[in-house]
Amino acid sequence: MNDLIHPTPPPTRRDWLLEQLHVFEGCAQGLRSPGVRALFAFTHSAHASWLPRQLDPVLHRLAQALGRPPIPPADQGWKAWVALAHGLLQSAGVALPEPPLWQPLRAKVDAPAAASRPQVSYVALTLPTLAPGQTAALLRWLCEVLAEFQHDASLVALGATRQMQWESLQKSLAAQAPTGTNNPHFIKAAYRLGLTWLRLTPSHFQYGWGRRGRWLKSSQTDATAALGMQIARDKVQANLLLRAAGIPVPRHVEVNSLEAALKAADQIGYPVVVKPADLDGGVGARADLQQPQAVSLAYEAARQHSRRILVEQHIAGHEYRLTVLQCRLLWAHQRVPAAVLGDGVSSIEALVQQENARRATALAQDPLAQAPIRLDADALAYLAEHGMDAGAVPAAGQSVRLQRVPAATLGGSGQAYTHSIHPDNTSLAERAVRLLRLDVAGVDLLMPDITRSWREVGGAVTEVNAIPQISNLTAPLIHDTVLCRLIDGDGRVPLLVVLGDAPTPVWVGTLTAQLDAAGLCAGVSTPEGLAIGGQWLQGPRKLAFNDLRALQLDPAVGAIVLCTNGQEFVQTGLPMDAFDVLVMAAPPGPSTSPVQVQAVQQLLRYCTRQVFVLGQGSGGPPPAALKSASQLPWTALGDQPDVLVATLVEAMLQAEATHAMALQPIDPQRQGVNP
């Protein structure tokens, strides 16, 4: 347990109280991400387990009122509270892969004070989140509503005012969630790999720092050719280009009226496909249309999404998605349409409900789990074409297909084929992507059997998606592999922190000059200002946090030196999730202020390689207050500038050698699964 220096009076009106909320945009408490720290106070009479067990049924009622699945019986006390709060963040899409932290604390109180009032205990809860400000508002609101539910045992639903507040909170959280499905998957992959990341905009992320940093927006990288992406998004232009290059593509006609669509279908010959000409992901597309009535319905449906409509030749066979990265095949899988398996008793609608209930439980824990099956108008029309409706009862063991066009977003699944794809089909996809100058692409290939050559059994490239949604249904760690291929080394550049008060030591200038000479363009932030490669950029400094962000974002930076007293980071958190070398001007002593001690403790926790201490007595053991903050040995350095700089340059070069070693993902050839 840690100590609280200044305890507050015990809670009134109830035996617990949210006493403090602290939002940090950087890394703190050992987390690698932004977050919120909430401090709860409890009277000692509440319960020795810190959270009164009598709140468990209250939490269960509140979870039900918020539309959450029941809290598992094993989760009691703090586990139940954390499960509820963290689950709401997961549903909103702003939770991060790190688990929440909670820590019991105690207050230092002199004996007379302790005897005169009830003892107060404390618990600190830290939630990692992409939306710290909105998460703080959520926690504050949850505590208010929890108190109301505790006071009134008859409450099982939110009142009108609370419901409006809840809807507003959900919207504010959802606005901070990463767009699409690729961004959340890449963030999870970064955590698994130990790769550092920064959020640039709601939809743009940087993985790595400085010269090793790469930008991603969904699966679009900073190396994607804008012209190629424009052509790929226009299916008419892409079809013309690929056809001219000898890639097999289906015949199609762009139409602007229903009459033209019906005429084009007659010219091409049934069955046909109707889809928007300028949208990806199967949006508005309907395939295997056998008759004019189906074309009419498909045309009207496509017009809901775009004014540009294609009528296209239907290619017989299965639909395969080939994900290509840097003109090399990364993964291949068959898109399997959503289906249900009959039991001889239940209707199709009931079977879908049963399957969706199972998926809903998984989605409550992971918003990226398999999507529910939709019995939409197209699915019902498809069933009707095969003589069934939602009320039909399939025979036991009968599989009923529910999608005309397989789509994971509508409940479909997949079957991996990377291991058995024919080399001709691999070459076909890679060449199509190479022609369009794309960095990451998804090639849709229709053919009877991907294990045989398209030259033998036929087939066609129907689309090349420039920003593909990379499915992990058959390759759970595929996003790890993408990042490892994109990132140079481990994504980091050497980072040295000089901890001390202004003015900046003269030897820092010599150090950065030698780093430049060694080929590591040094970015340096001091109280006097910011510079990169010896070029002065701005000053004096306002916030060290912002300066370090500027250096992390700049692709010219090959090493970073930060001079700071570290005290601002106690409030903001650190702008990095790890750094290599810490240099302290002098070890903290008896006269060091509590804030300074906290700053040193925080920096020690995130230093990964070496700690150097300058000044008299620096060779001794670290003070007791700092022993638990770091397991690294402390090395004493003398006052000779030449020796000091040479030692630190060598430490930074060793760090650079480590960072140059590539990340190692699990081989995608060995991770395939078939749900």
Side-chain angles (χ1 to χ4, degrees):
M1 287 188 185
N2 292 336
D3 291 329
L4 290 173
I5 305 301
H6 301 294
T8 58
T12 58
R13 293 180 298 167
R14 59 179 184 266
D15 50 13
W16 62 275
L17 183 71
L18 174 61
E19 183 174 288
Q20 184 184 88
L21 276 174
H22 180 200
V23 173
F24 49 92
E25 297 293 334
C27 302
Q29 307 297 318
L31 297 177
R32 295 172 47 202
S33 57
V36 175
R37 187 172 187 263
L39 183 65
F40 294 89
F42 303 90
T43 58
H44 185 67
S45 60
H47 205 280
S49 63
W50 308 106
L51 184 67
R53 288 293 174 88
Q54 59 263 35
L55 281 185
D56 286 344
V58 182
L59 286 167
H60 284 267
R61 282 191 287 123
L62 180 55
Q64 182 181 13
L66 296 175
R68 296 291 302 162
I71 298 174
D75 288 348
Q76 296 182 345
W78 267 108
K79 289 187 69 176
W81 172 250
V82 173
L84 176 60
H86 188 60
L88 293 173
L89 296 182
Q90 286 181 314
S91 295
V94 298
L96 289 168
E98 292 185 89
L101 306 175
W102 68 91
Q103 180 182 24
L105 307 169
R106 69 166 182 247
K108 279 187 177 179
V109 183
D110 56 36
S116 64
R117 66 186 186 189
Q119 183 178 344
V120 181
S121 300
Y122 297 84
V123 170
L125 167 65
T126 305
L127 286 173
T129 173
L130 275 170
Q134 291 78 7
T135 299
L138 172 67
L139 286 177
R140 187 177 292 109
W141 181 84
L142 275 176
C143 288
E144 293 173 359
V145 178
L146 181 60
E148 294 173 4
F149 271 62
Q150 182 186 16
H151 179 71
D152 186 351
S154 67
L155 284 177
V156 293
L158 299 177
T161 300
R162 288 300 190 189
Q163 184 63 40
M164 290 176 60
Q165 294 171 346
W166 172 229
E167 292 172 0
S168 176
L169 282 168
Q170 287 179 297
K171 289 179 181 178
S172 67
L173 286 166
Q176 299 299 314
T179 55
T181 60
N182 281 322
N183 281 328
H185 279 308
F186 280 127
I187 292 172
K188 284 190 173 183
Y191 276 93
R192 287 191 292 264
L193 295 167
L195 177 62
T196 186
W197 59 275
L198 305 170
R199 190 174 192 175
L200 309 176
T201 74
S203 55
H204 295 77
F205 290 81
Q206 175 174 310
Y207 296 90
W209 297 333
R211 70 181 183 86
R212 290 194 168 99
R214 295 296 304 273
W215 286 7
L216 280 174
K217 178 187 178 184
S218 184
S219 60
Q220 179 186 356
T221 78
D222 48 21
T224 299
L227 294 178
M229 190 169 67
Q230 290 173 3
I231 293 175
R233 287 297 298 269
D234 188 322
K235 294 178 173 55
V236 174
Q237 298 300 322
N239 186 286
L240 288 172
L241 186 147
L242 295 175
R243 185 186 300 277
I247 300 290
V249 292
R251 294 179 292 115
H252 64 211
V253 177
E254 184 172 358
V255 298
N256 56 13
S257 69
L258 175 57
E259 293 73 20
L262 294 170
K263 182 178 179 180
D266 286 334
Q267 291 175 344
I268 293 172
Y270 288 93
V272 296
V273 178
V274 173
K275 61 184 181 181
D278 50 4
L279 295 177
D280 293 328
V283 176
R286 294 191 181 183
D288 194 18
L289 305 175
Q290 303 281 348
Q291 53 189 339
Q293 183 181 2
V295 171
S296 299
L297 294 173
Y299 178 84
E300 295 302 329
R303 282 290 298 239
Q304 300 299 316
H305 301 280
S306 173
R307 298 184 63 84
R308 298 185 58 198
I309 308 299
L310 290 179
V311 178
E312 185 173 85
Q313 172 190 8
H314 176 80
I315 305 297
H318 301 295
E319 183 174 328
Y320 300 94
R321 164 57 64 91
L322 282 64
T323 302
V324 177
L325 172 60
Q326 296 171 338
C327 296
R328 291 169 52 202
L329 178 69
L330 176 68
W331 195 252
H333 71 275
Q334 179 186 343
R335 284 175 163 166
V336 178
V340 289
L341 190 65
D343 59 9
V345 177
S346 305
S347 67
I348 291 175
E349 184 175 19
L351 292 169
V352 169
Q353 291 174 350
Q354 293 169 18
E355 174 61 18
N356 284 346
R358 183 189 68 79
R359 297 186 185 188
T361 302
L363 284 166
Q365 303 301 321
D366 181 4
L368 301 178
Q370 194 170 10
I373 298 172
R374 292 190 204 171
L375 270 181
D376 55 15
D378 187 46
L380 294 174
Y382 181 78
L383 286 173
E385 291 172 14
H386 291 79
M388 291 183 287
D389 58 24
V393 177
Q398 178 185 356
S399 179
V400 179
R401 176 172 173 164
L402 301 172
Q403 288 179 325
R404 194 188 308 272
V405 178
T409 55
L410 300 179
S413 60
Q415 177 83 19
Y417 277 94
T418 310
H419 315 77
S420 55
I421 184 174
H422 193 281
D424 285 355
N425 303 329
T426 297
S427 298
L428 178 66
E430 291 174 345
R431 183 164 179 258
V433 174
R434 186 166 62 248
L435 286 165
L436 289 168
R437 276 71 167 168
L438 299 175
D439 199 30
V440 181
V443 179
D444 289 342
L445 181 62
L446 271 171
M447 61 185 307
D449 183 357
I450 201 171
T451 65
R452 301 167 65 185
S453 171
W454 65 272
R455 303 177 190 277
E456 175 190 355
V457 299
V461 172
T462 58
E463 291 186 25
V464 179
N465 293 282
I467 312 178
Q469 295 299 323
I470 303 175
S471 173
N472 70 339
L473 285 176
T474 61
L477 301 179
I478 191 170
H479 293 82
D480 302 52
T481 307
V482 172
L483 287 178
C484 288
R485 287 201 193 174
L486 292 176
I487 300 297
D488 174 30
D490 68 359
R492 301 174 187 270
V493 299
L495 200 165
L496 180 149
V497 176
V498 180
L499 184 63
D501 294 318
T504 302
V506 174
W507 56 262
V508 170
T510 307
L511 170 66
T512 55
Q514 291 197 18
L515 290 173
D516 290 339
L520 299 178
C521 179
V524 58
S525 170
T526 70
E528 293 76 25
L530 185 67
I532 296 177
Q535 180 180 2
W536 182 262
L537 301 180
Q538 63 183 24
R541 181 170 69 195
K542 295 181 179 179
L543 290 173
F545 192 104
N546 294 345
D547 268 14
L548 194 56
R549 274 288 183 266
L551 297 177
Q552 291 167 329
L553 293 173
D554 197 310
V557 172
I560 298 174
V561 177
L562 172 65
C563 299
T564 177
N565 63 16
Q567 294 184 29
E568 75 172 69
F569 299 145
V570 174
Q571 293 299 317
T572 64
L574 295 176
M576 65 280 195
D577 62 349
F579 66 98
D580 299 286
V581 181
L582 175 64
V583 179
M584 289 189 285
S591 62
T592 304
S593 71
V595 174
Q596 288 175 310
V597 172
Q598 289 180 32
V600 177
Q601 285 178 318
Q602 185 159 249
L603 286 164
L604 283 171
R605 176 176 279 182
Y606 287 89
C607 184
T608 60
R609 295 182 63 84
Q610 291 179 276
V611 179
F612 296 100
V613 186
L614 311 179
Q616 187 175 4
S618 60
L626 303 178
K627 284 183 178 179
S628 61
S630 173
Q631 301 301 315
L632 297 175
W634 292 27
T635 303
L637 281 179
D639 297 327
Q640 297 181 11
D642 291 347
V643 175
L644 170 63
V645 169
T647 301
L648 295 180
V649 168
E650 178 62 24
M652 292 289 274
L653 290 176
Q654 290 176 1
E656 165 61 18
T658 299
H659 295 315
M661 298 176 64
L663 297 168
Q664 297 297 324
I666 295 177
D667 183 354
Q669 293 283 347
R670 297 168 54 196
Q671 62 167 286
V673 296
N674 293 314

